[in-house]
């Protein structure tokens, strides 16, 4: 039956009850009932939403001074969190919150209806006011016992920022009730923003989220203190607490749910496709005053604007330390099992770190200037190694690799990798003595040789990162050098080269790594030179790769015998690091969300040449020696059209050796010739021509079989004047594009969907942005 909006007795029962929690609301209001009301008595659902928003607006107006008002506000908040997903899933209802409600004038009801606010705007403004409501979500500054409480409209919310950090020095007393109330309000905000989950993925960047757009606009007078509060709460959080082991088992931590919610709201508000705008503020370099420019540059999203304009060293230090501390938390955790609280929101942190580096170039340079970048690198390598066998964590693998690709475009990152690696993070990789560069190469080798099938599109990215840092690597350990040669050996087998249209690119990348190290860092790299000499037959085979049709067919036949493309030959994986457990596949029944395909490496990066003074200049795409020959333009590295995710059954049939993109592709002699003639083998061949006879002579003269003597000889050798003129260093820098922007959007919402299980806000609703699959 339709119920009159004026029947207060009926409507008040929804929020008057005191003893509910958000879990109760989810239990008491089943999905089937919400859908039934939506279909059969839409006017009641509309009135319920309108009334609940009205209660929030009243609460915000009055400042929530009584316990009763606070209870009503929280109950309305929980109810809306429960109902909104069911409104978003129905296209006919989607515009409902953007329609105006009679009598809700912008001035609080006393104006005429022409400029009435849409319901969504009233809701968002009420929630932002409530987030700075003294004694409800923030500490009141009034000392007096006068019952005249602070007027919500006169308070300057910048004085009520939740936590010290960026732009705010004062740390308020922790208050767990405030934390709980903020968490519930942020949950409602996140639910409002989640309309994005109910629209299918599209590469159209004009597809902005109206909720986020309004929330981050100048209409929100709390935008700055809210942005600062969210960022500071996340970066100041220390899960170890007061350093007492096991303290989290004694009392609960009210801060953690708030930090998770804050991180999720933050990354959603920063969802922006930067490839479409050439705005100057996004890298934080505007120097003009407000007077110069009538139209403020850059996105009108204030959160992005504030993020791009952070510039003080101490703010950068605070953010970087905070992110590094939280990312390293699970590693500490594996050492002293259960001693400290293990955080679960590292994926949100990685997205946040990505946004910081992508939208604030000064922050990126700050990160690369200090060795602290290694405190970000080591946890990322740990996550990559840990997730490589788990199908449900393929998104985590991608974002880790994207961040390393972004960092590797800068020279400083390569230089930092030479720092010795002494911390022993428990990982199941061979024990080695060496630098962070060795760690990176060993983990990448592990991902390529023992990761699951769906990581194949990442091989290009992984090797591009190694190419980008290779000119700066002063001395690789023997373990890492052997891993690189093992990869070359695996990727240059004839069946691998001939079985897919872009497989030979991997060989080009590896040869470029060897060339960079030999030409720019020959002196310290005797281990690598020795490994190249030992495996010289691999290079000779490449140089003599057969190109006639018969040999090509024969090469392809061989894969029937060797289904495993990369055997672990000669790998010294005997001893693993202490405390490590091998990467495990996902538990059966784990939910995962699908991802759209990522653009190929040629779309992800642009080439720059490093000139002698260390500056970079962009290269024209024509100069690209690795242009994907014969590759249909829309193809991706595992042959998926970039429209979205192929259905996974199809994907499981598509194994490593399957032909890429067009199912009918077959290798031809002309095709093999076209790239074989470009293989950059001159430097290595010259090196072998000079050094092999000398090494053989030493062995014969001294009757040596001992590596150390040969290494000593190679250490003192020089090839000055014998090698070809060094080629210029080429760096493939990440470039923003709408493909990755869309990837980040689906990944981020997939993470948020899976992480919000208590209460399960979006579970079993008709989500369109991704598919939910069981492993």
């Amino acid at each position: 039956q339709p119920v009159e909006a004026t029947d207060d007795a009926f409507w008040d029962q929804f929020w008057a009850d005191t003893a509910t929690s958000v879990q109760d609301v989810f239990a008491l209001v089943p999905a089937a009932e919400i859908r039934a009301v939506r279909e059969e008595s839409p006017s009641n659902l509309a009135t319920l939403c309108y009334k609940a928003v009205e209660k929030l607006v009243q609460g915000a107006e009055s400042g929530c001074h009584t316990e009763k008002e606070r209870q009503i506000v929280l109950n309305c908040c929980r109810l809306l969190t429960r109902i909104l997903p069911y409104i978003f899933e129905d296209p006919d209802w989607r515009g409902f919150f953007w329609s105006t409600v009679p009598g809700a004038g912008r001035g609080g009801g006393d104006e005429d209806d022409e400029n009435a606010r849409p319901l969504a705007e009233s809701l968002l403004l009420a929630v932002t006011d409530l987030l700075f409501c003294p004694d409800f979500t923030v500490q009141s500054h009034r000392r007096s016992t006068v019952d005249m409480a602070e007027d919500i409209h006169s308070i300057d919310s910048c004085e009520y920022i939740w936590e010290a950090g960026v732009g705010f020095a004062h740390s308020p007393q922790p208050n767990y009730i405030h934390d709980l109330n903020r968490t519930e309000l942020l949950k409602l905000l996140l639910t409002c923003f989640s309309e994005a989950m109910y629209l299918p993925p599209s590469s159209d960047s004009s597809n902005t989220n109206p909720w986020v757009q309004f929330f981050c606009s100048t209409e929100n007078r709390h935008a700055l203190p809210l942005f600062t509060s969210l960022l500071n709460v996340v970066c100041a959080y220390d899960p170890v607490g007061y350093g007492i082991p096991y303290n989290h088992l004694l009392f609960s931590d009210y801060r953690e749910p708030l930090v998770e919610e804050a991180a999720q709201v933050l990354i959603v508000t920063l969802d922006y496709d930067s490839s479409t705008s050439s705005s100057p503020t996004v890298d934080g370099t505007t120097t003009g005053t407000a007077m110069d420019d009538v139209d403020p540059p850059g996105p009108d999203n204030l959160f992005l604007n504030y993020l791009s304009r952070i510039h003080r060293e101490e703010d950068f230090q605070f953010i970087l330390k905070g992110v590094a501390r939280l990312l390293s938390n699970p590693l500490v955790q594996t050492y002293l099992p259960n001693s400290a609280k293990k955080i679960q929101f590292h994926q949100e942190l990685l997205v946040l770190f990505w946004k910081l580096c992508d939208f604030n170039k000064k922050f990126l340079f700050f990160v690369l200037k200090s060795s602290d970048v290694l405190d970000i690198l080591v946890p990322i390598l740990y996550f990559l190694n840990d997730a490589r066998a788990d199908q449900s964590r393929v998104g985590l693998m991608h974002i880790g690799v994207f961040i390393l690709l972004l960092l590797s475009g800068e020279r400083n990152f390569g230089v930092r990798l030479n720092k010795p690696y002494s911390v022993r993070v428990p990982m199941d990789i061979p024990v080695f003595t060496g630098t962070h560069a060795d760690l990176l190469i060993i983990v990448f080798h592990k991902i390529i040789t023992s990761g699951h099938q769906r990581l194949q599109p990442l091989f290009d990215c992984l090797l591009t990162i190694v190419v980008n840092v290779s000119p700066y690597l002063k001395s690789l350990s023997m373990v890492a050098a052997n891993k690189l040669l093992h990869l070359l050996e695996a990727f240059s087998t004839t069946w691998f080269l001939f079985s897919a249209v872009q497989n030979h690119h991997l060989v080009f990348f590896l040869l470029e790594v060897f060339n960079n190290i030999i030409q720019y860092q020959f002196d310290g790299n005797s281990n690598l030179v020795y490994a190249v000499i030992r495996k010289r037959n691999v290079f000779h085979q490449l140089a003599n790769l057969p190109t006639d049709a018969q040999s090509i067919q024969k090469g392809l036949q061989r894969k029937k015998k060797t289904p495993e493309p990369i055997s672990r030959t000669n790998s010294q994986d005997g001893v693993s690091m202490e405390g490590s457990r091998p990467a495990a596949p996902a538990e059966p029944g784990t939910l995962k969300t699908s991802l759209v395909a990522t653009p190929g490496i040629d779309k992800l990066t642009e080439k720059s040449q490093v000139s002698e003074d260390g500056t970079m200049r962009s290269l024209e795409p024509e100069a690209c020696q690795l242009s994907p020959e014969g590759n249909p333009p829309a193809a991706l590295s595992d042959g998926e059209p970039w429209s979205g995710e192929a259905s996974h059954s199809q994907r499981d049939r598509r194994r490593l050796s399957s032909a890429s993109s067009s199912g009918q592709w077959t290798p031809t002699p002309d095709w093999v010739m076209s790239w074989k003639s470009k293989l950059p083998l001159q430097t290595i061949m010259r090196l072998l021509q000079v050094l092999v006879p000398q090494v053989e002579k030493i062995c014969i003269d001294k009757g040596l079989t001992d590596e150390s003597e040969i290494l000593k000889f190679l250490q003192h050798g020089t090839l000055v004047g014998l090698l070809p003129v060094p080629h210029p260093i080429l760096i493939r820098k990440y470039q923003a594009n709408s493909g990755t922007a869309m990837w980040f959007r689906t990944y981020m919402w997939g993470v948020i969907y899976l992480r919000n299980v208590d209460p399960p806000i979006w579970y079993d609703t008709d989500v369109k942005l991704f598919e939910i699959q069981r492993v």
Side-chain angles (χ1 to χ4, degrees), residues 42-53:
S43 68
N44 284 354
L45 184 59
T47 308
L48 181 66
C49 292
Y50 162 53
K51 286 283 197 188
V53 172

Side-chain angles (χ1 to χ4, degrees), residues 178-193:
H178 295 174
D179 278 1
L180 292 174
N181 295 343
R182 292 164 178 172
T183 306
E184 299 229 31
L185 287 161
L186 290 179
K187 226 185 250 321
L188 173 57
L189 269 183
L190 198 59
T191 311
C192 291
F193 299 156

Side-chain angles (χ1 to χ4, degrees), residues 70-84:
R70 290 174 197 164
Q71 202 52 57
I72 288 175
V73 161
L74 289 174
N75 284 338
C76 290
C77 194
R78 293 159 187 162
L79 194 65
L80 285 167
T81 304
R82 179 62 170 143
I83 292 171
L84 275 167

Side-chain angles (χ1 to χ4, degrees), residues 41-116:
S41 50
S43 68
N44 284 354
L45 184 59
T47 308
L48 181 66
C49 292
Y50 162 53
K51 286 283 197 188
V53 172
E54 188 182 44
K55 287 290 176 199
L56 289 179
V57 172
Q58 286 167 4
E61 289 285 317
S62 70
C64 281
H65 297 307
T66 67
E67 200 42 58
K68 183 167 190 251
E69 280 178 293
R70 290 174 197 164
Q71 202 52 57
I72 288 175
V73 161
L74 289 174
N75 284 338
C76 290
C77 194
R78 293 159 187 162
L79 194 65
L80 285 167
T81 304
R82 179 62 170 143
I83 292 171
L84 275 167
Y86 297 93
I87 286 183
F88 293 151
E89 73 174 2
D90 184 339
D92 299 338
W93 273 84
R94 224 167 270 149
F96 168 70
F97 269 85
W98 293 97
S99 55
T100 50
V101 172
R106 283 175 191 264
D110 50 354
E111 287 169 43
D112 41 23
D113 286 345
E114 268 97 87
N115 56 1

Side-chain angles (χ1 to χ4, degrees), residues 230-263:
L230 296 172
L231 183 63
N232 291 355
V233 154
V234 173
C235 296
Y237 178 57
D238 185 357
V240 178
Y242 303 106
I244 317 157
Y246 302 102
N247 65 351
H248 65 287
L249 302 177
L250 307 178
F251 46 83
S252 13
D253 175 0
Y254 295 99
R255 194 35 65 114
E256 191 186 17
L258 174 67
V259 175
E260 284 190 14
E261 218 64 51

